[in-house]
Amino acid sequence: MKPRQTLCFIFFSLINLSCILAIATGNALDTSPQQFREAPEFYNAMECPTIMETFDKIGMIHKRLTWSFHKDNMHKSKNDYYYICSDDVVHVAMTLDAAYVRGTMAAIFSILQHTCCPQNIFFHFVASASANESVLRATIATTFPYLKFSIYRFHDSSVAGLISTSIRSALDCPLNYARTYLADLLPHCVKKVVYLDSDLVLVDDIAKLASTPLGNDQILAAPEYCNANFTSYFTQTFWSNPSLSLTFANRKPCYFNTGVMVIDLDRWRAGEYTTKIEEWMEIQKRMRIYELGSLPPFLLVFAGKIAPVEDRWNQHGLGGDNFRGLCRNLHPGPVSLLHWSGKGKPWVRLDANRPCPLDAVWAPYDLLKTPFSLDSSR
């Protein structure tokens, strides 16, 4: 192994170790697989478009997917292919890992419960290639037997050498960067996807969010927060270097949270935006131009260029601040999505019997089996 490869291996191993420690801390050192109740099945309303299957369309779609569909998912049936490529489907992408799977189950449940057309939703889950995919797949399938979904393997080596340490070790996990690679991971027939973090619940129809119009040259849509101090997301090294800070020239950059985004994958691929984000990550490795994890590169590329979404679609920060995890209230205005971004997660606080008031909103979507239900099912 060459010296540079050795250093990269050591650094990446330390990142993975910090992820493991962060996960262990957040789950009270409980590494046993969690078990969840089977969620009720939800059905389409009468006005929902019917996704019909025909031989000609299946043949065409199968041909289109032969080269574009991720090789780890080629076991999918033709019926799955058709749903994946249908224009009537709402595509949702989320990461999937053992640390946050409880939150993921709650998020899925909330999405299905509040949409008019739950049978027209396809979930794309991205999991680390080192994770036990069979356990994750079984967890999803037993909790939501009717769910249409695929799991894509994300190789940590995709971001090896690009991750910089941030203010919170949980932000340094390679899977946090998977959203940058959705255009490569998902089938190329998927034109638009709603990306969601695992620590949120929806109380409105996700189809409304998915239908957010994108302008002629806009790649993604997200709620913006222009009252936030945008300069605080980058270091003095960045702002004092004209060749770097001028990237925001002729733009009105605002902070946006990457935990809720609507992404045009066709435009992303055409513009090679994965490469553009990676280029900023390489500069960060050399010059330390920001302190957070995967968010700043998105801001550098997209801030001031995104399609606006109502703030109701990301009532974020409910996890509290990154240092003390203090409780926070909702922002003024209507609510369609509650997001526990930040240090504190509702399931951890509920288990510790130290919940914040808004954690009571998350609790009804928690499908984790209690000790009593586990005993009674034997």
Side-chain angles (χ1 to χ4, degrees):
M1 184 178 293
K2 296 179 181 179
R4 184 174 180 179
Q5 292 175 320
T6 303
L7 289 173
C8 182
F9 174 79
I10 294 172
F11 176 77
F12 202 60
S13 297
L14 290 173
I15 288 179
N16 282 325
L17 178 59
S18 68
C19 292
I20 293 170
L21 292 174
I23 289 170
T25 303
N27 290 276
L29 300 177
D30 182 8
T31 58
S32 59
Q34 295 174 315
Q35 297 184 42
F36 300 90
R37 305 189 306 276
E38 181 178 323
E41 184 171 2
F42 298 95
Y43 299 92
N44 281 356
M46 292 294 292
E47 63 269 22
C48 295
T50 301
I51 302 178
M52 301 294 290
E53 179 180 350
T54 65
F55 178 83
D56 289 340
K57 289 183 178 180
I58 288 297
M60 177 186 69
I61 289 167
H62 183 69
K63 184 177 181 180
R64 287 168 62 193
L65 284 173
T66 300
W67 298 107
S68 65
F69 199 45
H70 197 276
K71 65 180 181 180
D72 293 331
N73 294 275
M74 288 305 293
H75 63 278
K76 288 290 181 184
S77 68
K78 290 182 178 180
N79 188 54
D80 290 320
Y81 287 151
Y82 183 68
Y83 269 88
I84 291 171
C85 290
S86 172
D87 291 335
D88 293 324
V89 166
V90 173
H91 294 277
V92 180
M94 305 177 72
T95 56
L96 186 63
D97 65 86
Y100 289 93
V101 69
R102 187 173 171 185
T104 304
M105 299 296 105
I108 297 170
F109 189 22
S110 71
I111 292 169
L112 298 175
Q113 184 171 338
H114 292 286
T115 183
C116 289
C117 306
Q119 293 173 294
N120 291 6
I121 298 179
F122 197 100
F123 285 85
H124 304 267
F125 298 112
V126 182
S128 173
S130 60
N132 191 328
E133 183 182 335
S134 61
V135 172
L136 294 173
R137 185 179 298 278
T139 300
I140 297 289
T142 55
T143 308
F144 304 97
Y146 47 83
L147 199 70
K148 299 176 180 67
F149 72 95
S150 287
I151 296 180
Y152 307 84
R153 299 176 64 196
F154 179 69
H155 295 273
D156 295 349
S157 57
S158 300
V159 289
L162 291 175
I163 297 177
S164 301
T165 56
S166 60
I167 60 174
R168 190 154 54 92
S169 58
L171 299 176
D172 301 336
C173 297
L175 198 59
N176 284 337
Y177 293 81
R179 71 196 84 188
T180 302
Y181 298 89
L182 290 176
D184 300 323
L185 292 168
L186 271 58
H188 283 197
C189 66
V190 177
K191 300 177 181 178
K192 181 188 284 189
V193 67
V194 179
Y195 174 82
L196 299 174
D197 278 350
S198 297
D199 52 356
L200 53 78
V201 295
L202 279 79
V203 291
D204 203 342
D205 194 335
I206 193 172
K208 298 177 184 178
L209 177 60
S211 63
T212 301
L214 294 168
N216 294 331
D217 58 350
Q218 290 168 321
I219 311 302
L220 62 84
E224 290 183 302
Y225 305 92
C226 295
N227 59 333
N229 181 9
F230 188 81
T231 60
S232 66
Y233 291 96
F234 302 95
T235 64
Q236 185 59 34
T237 300
F238 174 84
W239 292 115
S240 62
N241 187 322
S243 64
L244 297 177
S245 59
L246 281 176
T247 189
F248 292 119
N250 302 318
R251 292 160 64 178
K252 293 182 179 179
C254 294
Y255 162 78
F256 66 91
N257 183 279
T258 53
V260 179
M261 298 185 291
V262 181
I263 306 174
D264 187 313
L265 295 177
D266 278 347
R267 294 178 183 176
W268 183 292
R269 297 180 186 110
E272 299 182 343
Y273 283 94
T274 296
T275 299
K276 293 178 180 179
I277 289 176
E278 287 181 335
E279 288 172 351
W280 280 112
M281 294 172 67
E282 290 171 352
I283 293 174
Q284 161 72 357
K285 292 292 292 184
R286 299 195 306 268
M287 303 181 65
R288 193 70 179 179
I289 59 175
Y290 53 80
E291 299 296 344
L292 291 174
S294 59
L295 167 64
F298 269 82
L299 296 179
L300 286 161
V301 175
F302 295 112
K305 299 180 179 181
I306 70 173
V309 177
E310 289 185 82
D311 290 353
R312 67 189 303 158
W313 287 105
N314 196 351
Q315 285 273 356
H316 68 289
L318 304 185
D321 64 83
N322 286 323
F323 297 100
R324 292 169 293 176
L326 298 178
C327 297
R328 287 184 175 174
N329 296 321
L330 291 174
H331 304 287
V335 180
S336 292
L337 183 152
L338 295 91
H339 187 185
W340 279 262
S341 58
K343 184 177 181 180
K345 303 306 173 188
W347 56 90
V348 176
R349 295 193 296 222
L350 287 165
D351 287 351
N353 200 27
R354 294 196 301 269
C356 288
L358 286 173
D359 295 345
V361 180
W362 182 89
Y365 302 100
D366 186 14
L367 295 171
L368 185 71
K369 285 186 177 180
T370 63
F372 175 78
S373 62
L374 286 172
D375 291 338
S376 61
S377 63
R378 292 175 182 172

